[in-house]
Amino acid sequence: MSEAVPELIDVSESVLLPLSPRLTAEQPDQSIDKDKPVPATILTGYLGSGKTTLLNYILTEEHGKRIAVIMNEFGDSQGIDQAFTSVDNGEMVEEWLDLKNGCLCCTVKDKGLKAIESLMERKGKFDYILLETTGLADPGKIASMLWSNEELGSDIRLDGIVTMVDTKNVERQLAECPPDGETMNEAQKQLAFADRILLNKSDLLDDNALADIELMVREINGTARVERTSYAKVDLNTILNIGAYADVGPETMPFSGSQNGHHHIDARIRTMALSAPHRLRWSIVDEWIQELLWDSRIPGDDASAQANSEMEILRLKALLLTTDFVPVGSDESFGAATVVVQGVREMYDSFVVPDKETTPEVDTDATHTTGLYKLVLIGREVPEQAVRDSWAQLLSRASVY
């Protein structure tokens, strides 16, 4: 079945096209601060998961959002990308095209960084960036590139990773053998790195089967928000400008790891939450994170004095009460601050949450009983008991009562 081709407009003419009663193609989303970096979302998922359907909706419907969509030539969007490419002597030319509904579109052969650089020349004409990956892409590597690209650092911010899941075939995809030299297949990585998971084609399964799939997904990634969808129909506000890398809290880290002993296909991949019930000395926490991520070693564990080649930390999130926190590259020290830590593989960053700088001590803070302050790890072959013992040792040394 052929996809509807989005209608293009001649951008040489000054035309205002009505999108909705609230927004036109020339009006920015009022929820977006034009002086701040543009939120960039990575859209990933296996071939056939429904990315094409979602992209087609974004590029054709009048949803009132100005989204710059970067489609990958080798991704799911092959059926619709021919409408957005020009050919010169048989070679594809990357070109940003304006669409009737106020969105922009570009097709690329690489990871999309060059397209984002050229997109910045048109800043002000879009409020969001959506980067499609191929069905076999590792979203963690792409996230790391966006995160570490200094040239783009002031213009964009990594907003989150959205993974679409083909609920009908996900069990088979998760059971596939990893590529040579890899320890996990791409379906496993896509779930582990996700901040939003869309269980698409949910209309094809009954409630019990869907519940099993959701349980399996949550055991791999207990921090992502999971949505059930059919025909890729989703409220765009649930996948855009979600701030998954800007803050950590009940909405961005709703840990929901399974407690009933059920095991998914590869039980070696799992989510682990470590409670942080007291204010901590940041320097000790920082050293602990560095040893875990950079050295692949469990701090204080004699058995792991050497790097653990089997252990992979894919994602780290934390919300901690700290003392003497010093941001990276700064001489400023915060005597008492609420700190967010975000990590992807060996890369991590930490920063103060501005509106939580005056958070009271935990022993007088009612939110402590909800387990708000914690560090969460998503990884493979992570020895849980050894990590918990190491964290307990840290709490005994770093806690300020």
Side-chain angles (χ1 to χ4, degrees), residues 198-218:
L198 305 182
L199 298 182
N200 199 32
K201 304 182 183 179
S202 60
D203 56 305
L204 301 180
L205 300 178
D206 60 34
D207 289 342
N208 290 334
L210 274 174
D212 286 342
I213 294 296
E214 187 167 333
L215 179 60
M216 179 175 61
V217 165
R218 290 188 183 278

Side-chain angles (χ1 to χ4, degrees), residues 9 34 212:
I9 65 172
K34 65 181 180 180
D212 286 342

Side-chain angles (χ1 to χ4, degrees), residues 106-310:
C106 178
T107 301
V108 299
K109 294 183 178 180
D110 57 17
K111 298 294 191 297
L113 294 184
K114 291 183 179 179
I116 294 178
E117 290 175 359
S118 68
L119 176 64
M120 289 303 107
E121 299 174 4
R122 304 169 70 113
K123 191 172 182 180
K125 296 195 67 175
F126 56 92
D127 302 309
Y128 313 88
I129 298 173
L130 186 66
L131 174 61
E132 179 212 13
T133 72
T134 70
L136 298 177
D138 179 350
K141 293 180 179 178
I142 299 173
S144 297
M145 285 190 294
L146 286 176
W147 208 359
S148 62
N149 191 299
E150 295 181 357
E151 295 182 3
L152 295 174
S154 61
D155 290 320
I156 70 169
R157 63 173 172 83
L158 179 58
D159 185 55
I161 297 173
V162 176
T163 296
M164 297 203 71
V165 173
D166 177 356
T167 54
K168 191 73 173 176
N169 297 295
V170 65
E171 288 190 76
R172 174 181 57 79
Q173 293 163 353
L174 289 171
E176 291 178 359
C177 293
D180 290 342
E182 298 285 340
T183 57
M184 291 183 289
N185 65 41
E186 300 310 328
Q188 293 169 343
K189 293 177 185 176
Q190 289 168 1
L191 283 177
F193 283 111
D195 301 295
R196 294 286 188 273
I197 297 173
L198 305 182
L199 298 182
N200 199 32
K201 304 182 183 179
S202 60
D203 56 305
L204 301 180
L205 300 178
D206 60 34
D207 289 342
N208 290 334
L210 274 174
D212 286 342
I213 294 296
E214 187 167 333
L215 179 60
M216 179 175 61
V217 165
R218 290 188 183 278
E219 286 187 330
I220 295 176
N221 186 335
T223 72
R225 176 173 167 179
V226 179
E227 299 278 347
R228 298 180 181 182
T229 64
S230 298
Y231 303 99
K233 292 181 180 178
V234 62
D235 180 353
L236 295 182
N237 291 319
T238 66
I239 64 173
L240 297 175
N241 200 28
I242 60 177
Y245 284 78
D247 196 358
V248 169
E251 292 187 0
T252 57
M253 194 167 66
F255 179 73
S256 55
S258 173
Q259 304 296 324
N260 62 3
H262 174 85
H263 293 294
H264 55 268
I265 292 172
D266 190 343
R268 295 171 297 178
I269 307 170
R270 61 182 307 165
T271 303
M272 182 188 314
L274 306 171
S275 176
H278 305 286
R279 194 171 292 277
L280 303 174
R281 294 183 178 87
W282 171 250
S283 60
I284 298 177
V285 176
D286 198 28
E287 290 177 1
W288 191 91
I289 293 174
Q290 290 178 14
E291 189 168 351
L292 184 69
L293 299 186
W294 295 355
D295 301 331
S296 295
R297 190 167 58 232
I298 300 172
D301 182 13
D302 294 337
S304 66
Q306 301 297 321
N308 186 342
S309 60
E310 297 295 320

